[in-house]
Amino acid sequence: MTVHTILKMGDPRLLRVAQPVTAFDTDALHLLVRDMFETMRAVNGAGLAAPQIGVDLQLVIFGSGDRNPRYPDRPLVPPTVLCNPVITPLGDEEEEDWEGCLSVPGLRGKVPRWSRIRYTGFDPYGDAIDRTVDGFHARVVQHECDHLIGKLYPMRVRDFTQFGFTEVLFPGISAAEDD
């Protein structure tokens, strides 16, 4: 397995619209998924999108069975591999909450997201996924899927008085844990 370098905001590859996954249950796809989980774990990520490691595919991973030191008070999200996702908001209600990003290290911002969503797509074997979620789970999915359309969370921040350095906003989370 390989821990990949995560692209940082400013890299033009993060602004592309990713291509759909067309070949499922291949050695290459399974290796990519393993590498993405290894990379995400190495940096305490809540999720990771393939474009963040320079792979131009509609593939995101998220979740863990363990508490995340970057988001210690958040509920657990089941480990998931999601290819070619489609997000459908369920209702008009939005919630604003703090987000960070492995591609925007050391910063956090309050971001509006749909409160409740349905997401569909496929696992790496090509089997359908169809879930209805809310709260932190919904936020993580929306954040990761934004990477597939070339959006980083600062592009969604509405109030820049609610955007700043993690070590200032959340002194209990060290800068090393947020890079």
Side-chain angles (χ1 to χ4, degrees):
M1 287 194 249
T2 302
V3 173
H4 291 266
T5 299
I6 296 172
L7 303 179
K8 303 288 188 268
M9 185 169 62
D11 190 308
R13 292 173 288 177
L14 290 170
L15 303 176
R16 298 184 302 201
V17 175
Q19 300 302 305
V21 174
T22 57
F24 294 92
D25 198 18
T26 65
D27 289 344
L29 184 59
H30 292 300
L31 178 61
L32 175 59
V33 167
R34 282 193 300 273
D35 286 354
M36 287 176 67
F37 271 108
E38 187 75 14
T39 301
M40 183 182 79
R41 280 192 290 271
V43 292
N44 294 322
L48 185 68
Q52 290 180 275
I53 60 168
V55 177
D56 192 28
L57 285 176
Q58 292 179 19
L59 167 63
V60 298
I61 64 165
F62 51 87
S64 172
D66 301 316
R67 290 265 171 237
N68 187 314
R70 292 179 70 230
Y71 300 96
D73 300 327
R74 302 298 185 183
L76 294 178
V77 174
T80 303
V81 178
L82 184 62
C83 302
N84 305 339
V86 174
I87 294 175
T88 305
L90 300 176
D92 294 329
E93 187 178 339
E94 290 183 345
E95 293 176 355
E96 277 200 339
D97 206 350
W98 294 99
E99 292 186 19
C101 181
L102 300 172
S103 291
V104 188
L107 294 167
R108 298 280 173 108
K110 268 205 171 173
V111 180
R113 299 281 184 190
W114 299 109
S115 301
R116 193 165 176 264
I117 62 168
R118 174 184 180 208
Y119 65 89
T120 60
F122 302 92
D123 71 12
Y125 298 95
D127 295 326
I129 294 174
D130 187 338
R131 294 183 185 157
T132 298
V133 297
D134 58 14
F136 186 62
H137 189 153
R139 177 168 298 279
V140 169
V141 174
Q142 291 171 83
H143 176 107
E144 295 310 327
C145 289
D146 265 359
H147 285 291
L148 306 180
I149 60 170
K151 280 201 180 284
L152 299 170
Y153 84 86
M155 298 170 177
R156 295 208 182 269
V157 171
R158 291 180 182 155
D159 178 359
F160 279 89
T161 67
Q162 301 291 303
F163 181 70
F165 289 97
T166 305
E167 63 190 21
V168 174
L169 294 166
F170 302 95
I173 298 174
S174 75
E177 288 175 332
D178 212 42
D179 278 345

